[in-house]
């Protein structure tokens, strides 16, 4: 269990058995978070991953109320992802970040930097809201399903060819929503 103070792990964190439980303090992971077996459990404190998140086995539970910031790619090829009511924020400043949810559902997903965020391999499912406050969210030909509100603020949402199901509606605040040949189903705009 991490202490209530800030825990900085400069060499990354690999959970290959056992349990790593975050406390109310911040956990800063200097490179990658790899969970191949065992359990990583976020708490109420923020978790920041400077590199990639790779879940190939075991269980990864996101913080319930604290931030979960990821500057690299997200890959779930196995194991269990528990969104735990929190929001995962992708924040690569330049370039392209990819997210392969492996069939798991995010509660909330945010994209907050100038780079591009795009799903790969599997459709993207978000049980809460999707917020793009900067840069480009590119559906990349995949279906995207958002149960909560989809908000595009000063960024761009590119639908490409996949079906976009935005049940909670779409709100544009100085951003742009660019359609293609795919279908867009929105609760309200």
């Amino acid at each position: 269990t991490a202490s209530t103070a800030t825990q900085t792990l400069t060499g990354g964190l690999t959970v290959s058995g056992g349990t790593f439980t975050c406390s109310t303090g911040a956990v800063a992971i200097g490179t990658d978070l790899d969970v191949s077996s065992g359990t990583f459990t976020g708490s109420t404190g923020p978790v920041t991953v400077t590199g990639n998140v790779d879940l190939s086995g075991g269980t990864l539970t996101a913080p319930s109320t604290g931030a979960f910031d990821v500057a690299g790619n997200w890959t779930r090829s196995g194991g269990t992802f528990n969104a735990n009511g929190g929001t995962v924020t992708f924040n690569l400043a330049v370039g392209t970040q990819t997210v392969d949810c492996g069939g798991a559902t995010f509660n909330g997903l945010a994209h907050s930097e100038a780079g591009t965020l795009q799903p790969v391999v599997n459709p993207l499912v978000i049980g809460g809201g999707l917020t793009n406050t900067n840069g480009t969210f590119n559906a990349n030909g995949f279906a995207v399903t958002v149960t909560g509100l989809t908000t595009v603020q000063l960024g761009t949402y590119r639908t490409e060819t996949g079906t976009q199901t935005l049940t909670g509606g779409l709100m544009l605040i100085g951003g742009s929503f660019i359609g293609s040949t795919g279908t867009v189903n929105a609760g309200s705009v």
Side-chain angles (χ1 to χ4, degrees), residues 51-115:
N52 300 321
V53 173
D54 183 15
L55 174 60
S56 59
T59 301
L60 188 155
T61 301
S64 58
T65 55
F68 192 173
D69 295 331
V70 178
N73 299 322
W74 181 288
T75 304
R76 177 184 170 259
S77 58
T80 301
F81 173 63
N82 176 1
N84 200 25
T87 296
V88 177
T89 300
F90 291 89
N91 57 11
L92 182 66
V94 177
T96 300
Q97 274 183 287
T98 60
V99 56
D100 174 7
C101 63
T105 299
F106 286 93
N107 178 64
L109 191 143
H111 178 239
S112 65
E113 290 293 336

Side-chain angles (χ1 to χ4, degrees), residues 2-189:
S3 76
T4 57
T6 297
Q7 301 290 304
T8 301
L9 309 169
T10 57
L13 176 62
T14 298
V15 180
S16 59
T19 300
F20 184 94
T21 302
C22 301
S23 185
T24 56
V27 175
I29 301 170
T31 56
D32 298 339
L33 169 60
D34 295 307
V35 180
S36 59
S37 66
T39 303
F40 176 92
T41 303
S43 180
T44 57
V47 174
T48 302
V49 181
T50 305
N52 300 321
V53 173
D54 183 15
L55 174 60
S56 59
T59 301
L60 188 155
T61 301
S64 58
T65 55
F68 192 173
D69 295 331
V70 178
N73 299 322
W74 181 288
T75 304
R76 177 184 170 259
S77 58
T80 301
F81 173 63
N82 176 1
N84 200 25
T87 296
V88 177
T89 300
F90 291 89
N91 57 11
L92 182 66
V94 177
T96 300
Q97 274 183 287
T98 60
V99 56
D100 174 7
C101 63
T105 299
F106 286 93
N107 178 64
L109 191 143
H111 178 239
S112 65
E113 290 293 336
T116 297
L117 177 65
Q118 64 186 29
V120 294
V121 183
N122 288 286
L124 184 60
V125 180
I126 303 165
L130 168 64
T131 304
N132 187 48
T133 56
N134 200 354
T136 300
F137 176 82
N138 184 340
N140 196 31
F142 288 92
V144 175
T145 301
V146 183
T147 302
L149 180 63
T150 298
T151 304
V152 181
Q153 181 177 0
L154 303 177
T156 301
Y157 187 123
R158 298 185 69 82
T159 65
E160 302 301 333
T161 58
T163 298
Q164 311 300 296
T165 304
L166 313 175
T167 306
L170 172 64
M171 180 185 300
L172 297 174
I173 306 169
S176 58
F177 187 85
I178 301 171
S180 185
T181 59
T183 300
V184 177
N185 302 307
S188 63
V189 178

